[in-house]
């Protein structure tokens, strides 16, 4: 019973909890607690901002199709094995059907998304650095560059656009994700100081599709920028790594 409640409940936001510093409170909602999970859902339930829980379609839903949402917020970066360990039940969605080419490619895409986010953020999903036995990033020099925020602007820009393309290919791209990634992509493009790089970044953003944006941005691959050092120092200071190369 406890596990069933945990799988079907929603966290109550701090704003309406009697003691904001107390333990998290969860509640069952008559409609949304009946929705099933999918690793490629057709709806999304944002974190409640009050006493009302709302769901939003993330793509067209045909008549008679089951409405599903993803139970965990980081599943876009987790393989089938990791997802099932977290769920404590077996999901049979398209991304979880073993022996299919889509499921195999799905694991590869989600692992790559996780690695790309490590490169740009310097930490893994749990906000921790990669351990010595982790196989997420094999190259120790590249891993250190990510953790010290030494990844150049060109690589950051390309990586973020590639993540969007992979999410789109996986069937996970929606307006919520675009809203989450767009500010960072636009900001990174604005940081370029070398004129040739800035021109390519601006041109990439004018392309119609995300794949076209990525292909245009890929012209920046391997390029250094005059702002690289300054951006790295600012990120180190922001995360308390000032003075660490």
């Amino acid at each position: 019973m406890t596990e069933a409640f945990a799988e079907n409940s929603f966290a109550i936001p701090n704003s309406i909890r009697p003691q904001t510093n107390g333990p998290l409170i969860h509640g069952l909602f008559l409609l949304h607690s009946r929705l099933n999970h999918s690793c490629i859902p057709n709806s999304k339930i944002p974190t409640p901002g009050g006493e009302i829980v709302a769901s939003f379609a993330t793509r067209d839903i045909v008549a008679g199709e089951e409405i599903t949402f993803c139970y965990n917020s980081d599943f876009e970066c987790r393989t089938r094995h990791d997802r099932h360990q977290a769920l404590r039940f077996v999901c049979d969605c398209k991304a979880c059907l073993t022996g299919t080419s889509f499921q195999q490619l799905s694991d590869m895409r989600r692992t790559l998304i996780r690695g790309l986010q490590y490169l740009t953020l310097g930490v893994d999903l749990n906000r921790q650095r990669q351990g010595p036995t982790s196989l997420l990033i094999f190259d120790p020099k590249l891993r250190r560059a990510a953790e010290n925020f030494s990844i150049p602007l060109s690589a950051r820009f390309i990586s973020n656009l590639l993540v969007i393309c992979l999410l789109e290919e996986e069937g996970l791209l929606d307006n919520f994700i675009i809203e989450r990634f767009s500010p960072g992509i636009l900001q990174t493009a604005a940081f370029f100081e070398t004129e040739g790089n800035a021109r390519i970044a601006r041109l990439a953003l004018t392309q119609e599709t995300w794949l076209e944006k990525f292909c245009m941005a890929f012209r920046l691959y391997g390029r250094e920028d005059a702002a690289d050092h300054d951006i790295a120092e600012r990120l180190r200071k922001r995360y308390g790594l000032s003075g660490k190369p």
Side-chain angles (χ1 to χ4, degrees), residues 43-94:
S43 74
K44 189 164 283 187
I45 301 177
T47 302
E51 297 181 1
I52 298 176
V53 174
S55 57
F56 299 86
T58 54
R59 61 171 174 79
D60 291 341
I61 302 175
V62 301
E65 180 182 359
E66 181 183 14
I67 299 175
T68 59
F69 75 103
C70 186
Y71 284 4
N72 291 57
S73 59
D74 65 1
F75 272 12
E76 65 201 36
C77 301
R78 294 194 181 276
T79 63
R80 177 187 183 275
H81 174 75
D82 290 343
R83 297 196 302 271
H84 284 197
Q85 282 192 321
L87 288 171
R88 299 188 297 272
F89 62 82
V90 176
C91 175
D92 60 358
C93 74
K94 184 179 180 181

Side-chain angles (χ1 to χ4, degrees), residues 8-12 26-34 48 50-53:
N8 294 282
S9 64
F10 293 85
I12 305 299
H26 290 74
L28 289 174
F29 294 79
L30 294 180
L31 176 60
H32 292 89
S33 293
R34 293 173 59 87
E51 297 181 1
I52 298 176
V53 174

